[in-house]
Amino acid sequence: MFNKIMKRGHRKVPKPDGAAVDYSYAPTGRSSGPVSTSNVVVNHASRGGAPPVSSQFQQLPATAGMVPLPGTIENLPMFRDVPVTERQSLFLRKLQICCFQFDFSDTLKMVREKEIKRQTLVELVEFIQSGSGKISESNQAEMIRMISLNILRCLPPASHENSGSENLDPEEEESYLDPSWPHLQLVYELLLRYVVSSDTDTKVAKRYIDHSFVLKLLDLFDSEDMREREYLKTILHRIYGKFMVHRPFIRKSINNIFFRFIYETERHSGIGELLEILGSIINGFALPMKEEHKLFLVRALIPLHKPKTVAIYHQQLSYCITQFVEKDYKLADTVIRGLLKYWPVTNCQKEVLFLAELEEVLEATQAAEFQRCMVPLFRQIARCLTSSHFQVAERALFLWNNEHVVSLIAQNRKVILPIIFEALEKNIQSHWNQAVHGLTVNVRKMFLEMDVELFEECQRQYTEREANARELEEQRELTWQRLAAAAAQER
């Protein structure tokens, strides 16, 4: 009996000739490690595998995932050509046509069937968009099944996985274009129109657009096709706005994606798009800000400065960080210290980005928060001022072009000027770049006009330090000469 059960379990289902793989159960993650959420297990070990989609997607139509034999797909009448009473049944038949899968790598294969499916998808989108008829609950379930079958699929291997190289600059990689996009775009458009439609009842729709479905949409953000990520960004943002029940889950799931990216893979195509969504979410946070939002800032957003590919998504990240400080000015000290923690040591381009972000944060910083972090902050700025990379030194000097930053510095000049005075003097004496030299002279003059006595005192201390340093150097040189002479006598 046991042997019969085992044989039955290993029996293979025959496929018709030219059948494509059924993608309905394929995960989309690229990261490592299993993640369990809401009784859904997604295996991130690779882009292949077969976890279940979710309970309501188990009973797919008989045609799901199969490539039809030539001639099995027929054109159906348009919605306007049938009575209103028959439109729901016609809607279901059109959904079933769209469940067929095709091989888009061969443009000459099954051209007629592909065009019928494309036209059917166009009609479904127009039907939803027109609002000419409210879709029945059973048809909504079938529609989400069809959408899931088409978009919740295995993503192709990433370009760096194909090449076997981990050191490629993602900005230099050629953009990937999915050959199935003419159909995928229409499926995404159908989902978007369904989500934003005023006829869509959220109480009904949340049964099908559930946590499992949202999690799989988030996994698709790793797609290398920018067009797909743009649709995903719009759709997820709309889901977040319409389905309040999903909001904590979406934030937590994005948080987990960031963690895997920062601490494991440092490879993900959709970090910028996810940050764009978060920018809008943060903008809507109510005050006083919840503790979980502050923890998200500290544990996920600030550490996103660590990866070497930060330049790709830095604009969106900087916007999110600045939003937090503008919402709650008391977070300025936390953000500035976080930036200092992840400040690049050898990457000058990252330093320029950090300095630009720092200026935006300082724009929203109040005097009390500024005073808490100004000592470590200006020690770092002093190092940037004397950088041999002229763009870093120049960008640091541009801080004095900002009126708010200058006012903060002026209020705390007795602490700040002694920290950076040496850096200013060294630039004037020996920096190779003429533009940096000129900007330094302007900043030095600004401090002189702020407080003559303080400036003269700093200059006196600097002169003493330089004299002491020269004296020590002379003594060290004299000691070496004596040692050399003694060694020569012993020979």
Side-chain angles (χ1 to χ4, degrees), residues 233-288:
K233 178 184 71 176
T234 305
I235 290 167
L236 189 68
H237 192 198
R238 294 290 188 169
I239 290 174
Y240 187 91
K242 192 158 189 171
F243 298 84
M244 292 187 68
V245 68
H246 291 333
R247 290 183 180 182
F249 177 78
I250 290 172
R251 292 196 301 268
K252 182 180 178 182
S253 299
I254 293 175
N255 192 43
N256 291 338
I257 291 172
F258 288 167
F259 282 163
R260 286 196 299 271
F261 171 69
I262 296 164
Y263 300 110
E264 294 179 17
T265 64
E266 286 200 9
R267 282 281 185 175
H268 196 285
S269 301
I271 298 298
E273 285 80 7
L274 290 171
L275 286 168
E276 283 187 50
I277 296 169
L278 284 171
S280 298
I281 292 173
I282 294 165
N283 194 32
F285 282 165
L287 294 175

Side-chain angles (χ1 to χ4, degrees), residues 113-123 182-183 186:
E113 287 80 1
K114 288 175 184 176
E115 180 57 23
I116 290 175
K117 180 181 176 181
R118 192 192 67 79
Q119 277 297 123
T120 305
L121 284 168
V122 169
E123 291 173 31
H183 282 202
L186 291 168

